[in-house]
């Protein structure tokens, strides 16, 4: 179910810079405020924070707004913590060190206010789950919640109270490296995954034991970076902002998320971190968000680089006035100038109180005043909990997407193959199994694809490995210093030839080839954008040469973005997208390849044929000459290689009997839809029933179809079930650029249901006033 639409949001506020007086902006409001108010802090918490604020000096309050990175013990930071000059630290992960710093804060500062420790807990802490794009491919919010529940418990056990996740940036350009950190292209799926993550991190309420404060990021529009170049400006129309990019954030606010991270880039020429429209009008005024905003790392100081702020002091004022409560900084914060700004009467005490209040409320409700220290021996037990590995296995199995399976090559027979060749640069690398945004894993325990296959086949087959090619970035990643992967020395030309030949001769001698291609750990994530979607390095050459041998060949992809596999989609019999599957990746892939688990994941994005098709999201508008829509380019189809929502199974499914309970209904009423799904194959398997809607006419053009419901179901062979969906008025509302307000039209709507965005089973309903 989708949440209430964003309302009200005001077009002209988007165009106004932060400098205009609020009164001028208020005049633009044209719809009543009617969104729910998610109460995330209890009355007792609020009362206690108010009482504390009364005891604090302005300087003490402002100190709480500073957050600093700490990569290694630093006497300067110890001194600042001791004097109560810092509210939060990030990147400290050792539980003993966390306790030491917390003792300094609690015992020495005047009011004994504990620090809140933050960290990037993106897809696991010690146990690494599949990357977020993979988790979204499960189309299973329950699995997502369970994964983030484990991640939260592990992080909290070492004293980390706050996860800088979920990342809710809609991304429609796979050149952008951070597409891997989000849920893909769609606001409806993205909203469902957002709610599931908030619930996993925070539990039913902030302060639930063994959970952490969540931080939705990056607010907002970061995923639309021009050219897919990380940090570059985004230009997003008002309609796209409201109907697409802001939706998952609003869903997370309604799910009770406690904090927000501002984005780095300019949104329509106003930096997100100095953007009053985003951080105050949308977030607080329209959505009634009660938590706090932290800047992205050094994003406040970089307001100067944007050509927005004059100097660091001006940057601090602009971010503070826009609504950024806390500044995250690698070294000195620009917010350290705020006491002087207060002295100079540039900011008021009321503003300071409002800024510090939700930070204190979060600390209170998380229980940090009562329980500031972690229990180190207990944390080791939590981190080593085998149940967490079982969850990671389950998540990886549910995240993989079967893209192709000619002549039912998969599942592999357990007896037919005696010599298996595993080939490719990411097949036996722990880090490439784990993926980006993991720092606290025990890499040794990650199971590579090669290891997983060897365990699976045991003595029944020989499994040999050859890397074949070496894959590297042209420009190194700044994360290489933090990632623990030892850097491979560059191969000489002779070595490269001999490794390549070795791979081919291994393939020749085997009776099954598992080619494992994709991207290295540092090839996606932050600052990991690419101008191409080709398989990096010489992997395409290797792929074609190995495939030409004519052996039964399975291509397994480990990567964080769709890649150009158009050739493979025509020539390689089986393709499994495993993404970066995490700690249990190799075991999960082996279970899937041999049919102990049946793939049921679906793509959370449209998979382009090549880089030139970007953007190619399924929910585009219809225009002139509909029949030619699939042939907009004269050199290749305009359709994606694989549509959004697509994914095969080892079974087959039939959809029938699509029914709307109210084919004639009134604007403002919900609509009830049912569809029968039958497993027509011979194995028990999962299918994702999907529901798409299109408004035929109205106040503005609407996309050709939009996801408005989905459910992953498990069906025994030949079993049939009826899946029901409720399409709410909110689902049919949209922000219209024509009327500049939220709109729900009287119209006729198309409805499709099936197992991808190309679903054909169709009906209609009509809404009148
Ligand atoms: C920068 C990234 O953009 C953000 O996602 C992350 O949470 C912070 N650094 C902290 O590491």
């Amino acid at each position: 179910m989708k949440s209430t639409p964003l309302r009200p949001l005001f077009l002209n506020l988007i165009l106004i810079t932060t400098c205009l007086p609020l009164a001028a902006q208020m005049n633009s409001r044209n719809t009543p405020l009617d969104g729910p108010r998610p109460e995330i802090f209890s009355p007792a918490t609020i009362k206690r924070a108010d009482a504390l604020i009364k005891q604090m000096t302005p300087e003490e309050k402002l100190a709480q707004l500073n957050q600093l990175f700490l990569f290694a013990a630093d006497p300067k930071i110890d001194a600042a913590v001791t004097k109560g000059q810092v509210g939060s630290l990030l990147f400290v992960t050792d539980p003993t060190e966390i306790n030491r710093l917390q003792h300094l804060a609690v015992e020495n500062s005047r009011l004994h206010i504990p620090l809140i420790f933050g960290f990037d807990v993106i897809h696991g802490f010690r146990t690494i789950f599949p990357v977020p794009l993979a988790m979204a491919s499960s189309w299973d919010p329950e699995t997502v919640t369970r994964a983030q529940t484990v991640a939260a418990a592990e992080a909290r056990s070492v004293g980390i109270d706050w996860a800088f996740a979920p990342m809710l940036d809609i991304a429609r350009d796979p050149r952008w490296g951070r597409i891997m950190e989000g849920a893909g292209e769609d606001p409806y799926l993205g909203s469902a995954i957002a709610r599931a993550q908030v619930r996993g991190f925070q539990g039913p309420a902030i302060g639930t034991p063994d959970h952490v404060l969540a931080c939705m990021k990056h607010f907002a529009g970061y995923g639309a970076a021009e050219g897919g170049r990380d940090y570059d400006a985004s230009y997003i129309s008002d309609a796209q902002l409201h109907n697409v990019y802001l939706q998952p954030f609003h869903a997370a606010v309604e799910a009770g998320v406690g904090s927000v991270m501002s984005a780095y880039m300019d949104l329509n020429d106003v930096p997100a971190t100095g953007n009053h429209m985003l951080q105050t009008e949308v977030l607080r005024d329209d959505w009634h968000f009660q938590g706090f905003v932290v800047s992205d790392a050094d994003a406040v100081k970089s307001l100067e680089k944007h050509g927005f702020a004059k100097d660091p002091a001006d940057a601090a004022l602009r971010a503070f006035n826009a609504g950024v409560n806390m500044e995250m900084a690698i070294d000195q914060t620009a917010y350290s100038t705020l006491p002087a700004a207060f002295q100079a009467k540039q900011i008021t005490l009321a503003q300071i109180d409002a800024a510090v209040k939700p930070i204190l409320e979060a600390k209170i409700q998380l229980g940090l005043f009562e329980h500031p220290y972690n229990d180190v021996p207990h944390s080791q037990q939590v981190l080593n909990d085998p149940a967490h590995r079982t969850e990671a296995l389950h998540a990886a199995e549910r995240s993989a997407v079967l893209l192709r399976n000619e002549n039912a090559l998969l599942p592999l027979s357990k007896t037919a193959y005696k010599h298996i060749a595993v080939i490719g640069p990411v097949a036996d690398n722990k880090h490439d199994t784990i993926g980006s945004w993991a720092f606290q894993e025990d890499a040794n325990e990650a199971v590579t694809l090669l290891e997983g296959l060897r365990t699976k086949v045991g003595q029944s087959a020989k499994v040999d490995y050859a890397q074949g090619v070496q894959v590297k970035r042209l420009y190194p990643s700044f994360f290489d210093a933090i990632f623990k992967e030892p850097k491979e020395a560059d191969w000489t030309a002779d070595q490269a030839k001999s490794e390549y030949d070795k791979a081919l001769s291994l393939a020749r001698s085997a009776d099954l080839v598992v080619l494992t291609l994709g991207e290295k750990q540092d090839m996606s994530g932050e600052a990991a954008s690419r101008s191409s979607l080709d398989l990096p390095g010489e992997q395409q050459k290797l792929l074609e040469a190995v495939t030409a041998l004519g052996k039964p060949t399975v291509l397994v992809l480990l990567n964080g973005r769709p890649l150009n596999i158009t050739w493979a989609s025509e020539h390689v019999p089986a393709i499994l997208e495993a993404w970066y599957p995490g700690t249990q990746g190799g075991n999960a892939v082996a279970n899937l390849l041999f049919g102990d688990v049946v793939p049921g994941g679906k793509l959370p994005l449209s998979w382009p044929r090549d880089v030139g098709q970007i953007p190619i999201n399924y929910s585009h508008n219809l225009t002139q000459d509909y029949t030619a829509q699939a042939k907009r380019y004269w050199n290749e189809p305009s359709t994606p290689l694989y549509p959004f929502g697509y994914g095969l199974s080892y079974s087959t499914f039939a959809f029938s009997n699509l029914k709307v309970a109210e084919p004639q209904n009134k604007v403002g009423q919900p609509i009830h839809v049912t569809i029968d799904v039958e497993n027509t194959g011979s194995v028990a398997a999962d299918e994702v029933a999907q529901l798409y809607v299109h408004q035929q006419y109205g106040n503005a053009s609407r996309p050709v179809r939009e996801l408005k419901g989905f459910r992953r179901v498990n069906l025994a062979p030949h079993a049939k079930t009826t899946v029901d969906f409720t399409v709410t008025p909110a689902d049919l509302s949209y922000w219209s650029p024509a009327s500049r307000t939220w709109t729900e039209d009287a119209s006729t709507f198309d409805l499709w249901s099936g197992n991808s965005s190309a679903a054909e089973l169709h009906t209609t309903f009509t809404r009148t006033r």
Side-chain angles (χ1 to χ4, degrees):
M1 268 213 2
K2 183 177 163 291
S3 54
T4 313
L6 320 171
R7 66 178 68 182
L9 299 170
F10 313 101
L11 172 85
N12 48 348
L13 293 179
I14 291 155
L15 305 173
I16 294 172
T17 71
T18 58
C19 309
L20 287 187
L22 194 61
Q25 300 174 11
M26 297 299 280
N27 289 339
S28 68
R29 293 180 183 260
N30 50 10
T31 350
L33 296 176
D34 59 358
R37 181 188 177 91
E39 300 296 351
I40 56 174
F41 299 123
S42 70
T45 296
I46 295 169
K47 200 166 148 206
R48 190 163 160 190
D50 286 337
L52 185 58
I53 287 172
K54 287 208 181 86
Q55 299 173 54
M56 294 169 78
T57 65
E59 290 68 28
E60 283 168 336
K61 293 171 192 171
L62 288 168
Q64 288 294 314
L65 315 189
N66 296 319
Q67 184 191 48
L68 293 173
F69 276 83
L70 184 54
F71 293 110
D74 178 345
K76 270 201 324 251
I77 291 197
D78 280 9
V81 170
T82 306
K83 287 188 217 142
Q85 292 170 347
V86 189
S88 174
L89 294 174
L90 78 155
F91 258 79
V92 197
T93 52
D94 175 52
T96 308
E97 179 65 358
I98 288 180
N99 279 346
R100 187 187 70 79
L101 289 157
Q102 192 67 296
H103 274 286
L104 289 183
V106 172
E107 288 159 18
N108 297 310
S109 62
R110 191 178 74 91
L111 291 165
H112 313 297
I113 301 176
L115 294 164
I116 179 168
F117 289 88
F119 191 60
D120 289 297
V121 185
I122 309 298
H123 54 116
F125 184 73
R126 174 63 46 79
T127 310
I128 305 299
F129 286 81
V131 295
L133 188 64
M135 294 299 296
S137 303
S138 72
W139 288 58
D140 181 8
E142 171 64 27
T143 293
V144 172
T145 298
R146 281 165 56 173
Q148 298 303 30
T149 302
V150 168
E154 291 189 357
R156 192 70 199 258
S157 78
V158 303
I160 290 166
D161 323 296
W162 184 17
F164 300 124
M167 190 198 91
L168 305 182
D169 297 305
I170 297 280
R172 295 176 163 187
D173 187 338
R175 293 173 298 181
W176 189 53
R178 304 196 78 168
I179 194 168
M180 179 213 92
E181 294 173 53
E185 74 178 43
D186 187 67
Y188 188 91
L189 179 64
S191 297
I193 301 293
R195 285 188 284 270
Q197 296 203 69
V198 171
R199 174 74 188 213
F201 282 123
Q202 295 189 166
I206 294 169
T208 304
D210 304 325
H211 286 74
V212 295
L213 185 73
C215 181
M216 64 176 191
K217 68 185 189 185
H218 306 83
F219 201 60
Y222 187 30
E226 282 193 308
R229 291 177 296 269
D230 204 4
Y231 316 122
D232 273 5
S234 295
Y235 290 92
I236 305 179
S237 74
D238 309 319
Q240 288 278 301
L241 190 63
H242 302 323
N243 295 326
V244 178
Y245 289 89
L246 291 179
Q247 290 278 342
F249 290 102
H250 191 207
V253 168
E254 292 197 332
V257 73
S259 71
V260 180
M261 187 185 292
S262 71
Y264 273 130
M265 75 312 138
D266 279 340
L267 173 64
N268 300 330
D269 290 343
V270 181
T273 300
N275 197 312
H276 191 266
M277 179 277 292
L278 282 175
Q279 312 301 349
T280 295
E281 276 112 34
V282 170
L283 201 53
R284 268 81 172 217
D285 299 349
D286 298 346
W287 296 352
H288 309 293
F289 172 65
Q290 306 291 300
F292 64 95
V293 179
V294 63
S295 75
D296 202 339
D298 279 349
V300 175
K301 279 181 271 180
S302 79
L303 293 180
E304 196 183 340
K305 283 199 196 106
H306 286 248
F308 185 70
K310 190 170 138 217
D311 51 32
D314 186 35
L317 273 182
R318 283 171 180 261
F320 182 80
N321 285 327
V324 175
N325 305 64
M326 183 185 277
E327 179 187 358
M328 179 193 291
I330 290 176
D331 204 343
Q332 173 93 350
T333 59
Y335 272 22
S336 57
T337 61
L338 289 179
F342 175 63
Q343 293 301 325
K345 302 207 165 15
Q346 290 170 302
I347 56 174
T348 66
L349 194 58
Q351 276 184 294
I352 296 173
D353 287 352
V356 75
K357 189 173 166 187
I359 297 172
L360 296 173
E361 286 168 337
K363 289 184 177 185
I364 291 166
Q365 197 153 311
L366 282 165
L368 296 182
F369 283 83
E370 280 71 34
H371 304 289
Y373 310 115
N374 65 78
D375 172 347
V376 180
H378 174 68
S379 74
Q380 295 314 308
Q381 268 170 31
V382 175
L383 298 182
N384 293 323
D385 189 341
H388 295 181
R389 278 55 173 185
T390 308
E391 284 294 347
L393 177 67
H394 170 82
E397 289 168 349
R398 290 179 84 73
S399 301
V401 185
L402 181 63
L403 297 175
R404 181 172 156 93
N405 193 17
E406 289 304 285
N407 303 319
L409 173 59
L410 298 178
L412 297 170
S413 153
K414 283 181 181 147
T415 51
Y417 306 108
K418 296 294 166 212
H419 186 199
I420 301 174
V422 176
I423 292 175
V426 291
D428 192 31
N429 183 303
K430 309 259 187 198
H431 304 275
D432 303 335
T433 309
I434 283 166
S436 191
W437 284 112
F439 310 106
Q440 290 303 306
E441 80 281 6
D442 175 0
N444 289 330
E445 71 164 282
V447 182
T448 67
L449 185 69
L450 177 67
E451 292 166 339
L453 285 176
R454 282 195 170 138
T455 308
K456 169 75 40 186
V457 301
Q459 300 305 314
S460 69
K462 189 152 125 346
V463 182
D464 285 325
Y465 172 62
Q467 180 174 331
V469 295
Q470 199 176 35
V471 182
K472 291 205 164 175
R473 287 172 54 134
L474 174 61
Y475 304 120
S477 163
F478 63 68
F479 281 108
D480 288 346
I482 315 180
F483 289 145
K484 296 172 203 142
E485 182 179 3
K487 282 291 135 199
E488 226 185 328
D490 286 344
W491 288 352
T492 62
D494 284 351
Q495 224 179 336
K497 185 171 179 321
S498 112
E499 293 292 336
Y500 185 82
D501 292 347
K502 215 191 308 176
L504 280 186
S505 68
L506 172 60
R508 230 174 262 122
S509 69
D511 47 21
L512 171 78
V513 181
V514 180
L515 258 171
T516 309
L517 307 179
E519 295 180 318
K520 305 283 294 172
Q521 179 184 42
D522 65 1
M523 289 181 167
S524 64
E526 188 179 350
S529 294
R530 299 180 64 199
S531 65
S532 161
L533 297 183
D534 293 347
L535 288 161
E538 296 210 288
Q539 295 184 91
Q540 182 70 26
K541 186 174 141 199
L542 180 69
L543 167 75
E544 293 186 18
V546 169
T547 309
L549 299 174
K551 304 275 173 170
T553 301
V554 182
L555 171 60
V556 179
L557 294 166
L558 297 193
N559 50 335
R561 56 160 66 80
L563 296 169
N564 182 342
I565 53 162
T566 300
W567 186 91
S569 76
E570 289 161 6
H571 297 93
V572 183
I575 307 176
L576 181 73
E577 173 56 87
W579 308 110
Y580 295 113
T583 301
Q584 285 293 318
N587 289 335
V589 172
N591 286 345
L592 289 157
L593 293 183
F594 283 95
D596 293 328
V597 175
V598 179
K602 304 280 177 184
L603 293 175
L605 38 73
S606 308
W607 190 294
R609 291 167 196 274
D610 55 40
V611 76
Q613 285 192 321
I614 297 168
I616 188 152
N617 49 292
Y618 78 95
S619 56
H620 60 83
N621 285 11
L622 289 173
T623 67
Q624 176 71 13
D625 198 0
Y626 172 60
T627 49
Q629 192 108 23
K631 297 184 192 131
R632 286 286 200 251
Y633 301 119
W634 59 251
N635 61 318
E636 68 176 357
S638 302
T639 50
L641 184 64
Y642 299 115
F644 173 83
Y646 168 88
L648 302 173
S649 167
Y650 297 152
S651 196
T652 49
F653 293 87
F655 286 76
S656 61
N657 217 9
L658 174 60
K659 276 200 220 136
V660 184
E662 310 88 354
Q664 303 292 326
N665 55 70
K666 294 271 181 216
V667 165
Q669 286 179 348
I671 293 138
H672 301 92
V673 182
T674 50
I675 177 93
D676 292 346
V677 188
E678 185 179 359
N679 182 345
T680 50
S682 53
V683 288
D686 285 9
E687 181 57 292
V688 181
Q690 302 168 38
L691 184 73
Y692 294 87
V693 172
H694 167 238
Q695 178 176 306
Q696 290 188 355
Y697 50 88
N699 190 285
S701 302
R702 301 299 300 139
V704 57
R705 53 176 75 183
E706 290 181 293
L707 183 70
K708 293 298 175 188
F710 67 90
R711 185 143 351 122
R712 182 165 173 160
V713 293
N714 181 270
L715 287 175
H718 311 297
K720 193 176 189 172
T721 190
T722 301
V723 176
D724 57 285
F725 297 107
T726 303
V727 181
T728 65
D731 290 330
L732 300 174
S733 305
Y734 63 98
W735 193 92
S736 166
S739 59
R740 303 187 168 224
T741 186
W742 285 92
T743 302
E744 200 191 332
D745 287 332
S747 183
T748 297
F749 293 79
D750 295 299
L751 206 57
W752 294 268
S753 189
N755 57 6
S756 84
S757 57
E760 285 175 3
L761 198 59
H762 174 254
T763 188
T764 59
F765 63 90
T766 298
R767 274 158 102 68
T768 51
R769 292 213 183 267

